[in-house]
Amino acid sequence: ILELTFSFWCFLRFDEIKEGDVVRHDGKRSDGYLEHIFKHAAKELFGMDVKEITYKALKNKDFQEVTLEKDGETVLRFAAAYGFRNIQNMVLKLKKGKFLYHFVEVLACPGGCLNGKGQAQTEDGKPDKALLNKMEEVYAAIPVKLPETNVHVQKMYQDWLEGMDSKKVQETLHTKYSAVNQTASNLDIKW
């Protein structure tokens, strides 16, 4: 589903989009994939409808956790890590085998994409909080529509991807990872 939004926009030509066709995923800002994936996973894996999620700030406001409990046991543990400091800490925990998360949403900019260097800043490079708030309001006003119920996404699957479970879907929207042998180099970054 993560890939659907990107593929959806690549599939449509901008001159074909009408005002009512613009939709967004769950979440209140540009960093809302975690919310959408969390709700979808809760429903698909555990049969639980999650209406609202609660973020718990851990070491700072840019590293937050979301959990789902069922029968007193934590069954889903997601995190949002924004900014290079938090990303670096996340990589260190991964290397040490102390990483507890099923899904992590990673954004390079502290505060998320809308707070990034090319976004809501004054000419002197300081955050423009009024502009940031306005951008969040405009984004939140766009209707939420699940990708699986979107007629354009369904058309993309039918016409371009040759069906929901086709080989083309697997090749286009999925990836596989395998271990890479590390070579010693002066350019290696030691996090």
Side-chain angles (χ1 to χ4, degrees):
I1 291 173
L2 253 172
E3 295 90 354
L4 288 178
T5 303
F6 176 75
S7 299
F8 168 65
W9 288 111
C10 291
F11 178 69
L12 287 176
R13 292 189 356 220
F14 285 108
D15 60 348
E16 295 175 352
I17 298 175
K18 298 178 218 76
E19 185 174 334
D21 290 341
V22 178
V23 295
R24 66 179 176 90
H25 53 73
D26 284 329
K28 294 167 184 58
R29 300 169 35 162
S30 62
D31 51 340
Y33 279 119
L34 180 147
E35 188 168 334
H36 175 73
I37 299 300
F38 186 84
K39 289 177 179 180
H40 185 78
K43 177 127 179 120
E44 291 296 314
L45 299 174
F46 303 103
M48 299 174 70
D49 273 324
V50 176
K51 299 296 180 202
E52 293 288 323
I53 65 172
T54 303
Y55 289 85
K56 176 183 165 190
L58 297 180
K59 293 189 179 216
N60 58 64
K61 68 180 175 74
D62 284 331
F63 194 91
Q64 299 183 15
E65 179 180 80
V66 178
T67 59
L68 177 70
E69 291 189 15
K70 184 174 184 177
D71 300 327
E73 180 186 348
T74 300
V75 293
L76 284 180
R77 187 179 306 271
F78 283 23
Y82 306 147
F84 285 114
R85 177 184 57 178
N86 289 314
I87 296 169
Q88 185 177 28
N89 288 334
M90 182 185 68
V91 170
L92 285 171
K93 286 181 181 182
L94 274 167
K95 282 185 164 187
K96 293 177 182 178
K98 297 181 179 181
F99 199 70
L100 309 171
Y101 300 102
H102 299 106
F103 176 92
V104 179
E105 180 173 69
V106 177
L107 297 172
C109 297
C113 292
L114 291 181
N115 200 40
K117 279 295 185 191
Q119 301 297 325
Q121 297 190 357
T122 59
E123 287 186 27
D124 62 355
K126 294 185 177 159
D128 185 337
K129 299 223 183 270
L131 179 58
L132 179 60
N133 288 336
K134 182 66 177 167
M135 288 168 37
E136 289 176 354
E137 284 176 28
V138 168
Y139 184 77
I142 298 170
V144 172
K145 191 167 192 177
L146 297 175
E148 55 269 24
T149 65
N150 187 308
V151 70
H152 296 292
V153 172
Q154 291 172 359
K155 183 170 174 45
M156 177 188 67
Y157 269 98
Q158 179 185 0
D159 297 348
W160 181 54
L161 294 171
E162 302 164 357
M164 292 292 283
D165 297 319
S166 71
K167 184 177 179 182
K168 193 166 183 180
V169 166
Q170 290 297 316
E171 292 170 352
T172 306
L173 300 179
H174 297 264
T175 189
K176 293 181 182 177
Y177 297 95
S178 57
V180 176
N181 293 331
Q182 293 187 359
T183 58
S185 166
N186 290 339
L187 299 176
D188 284 346
I189 297 173
K190 302 294 183 201
W191 288 10

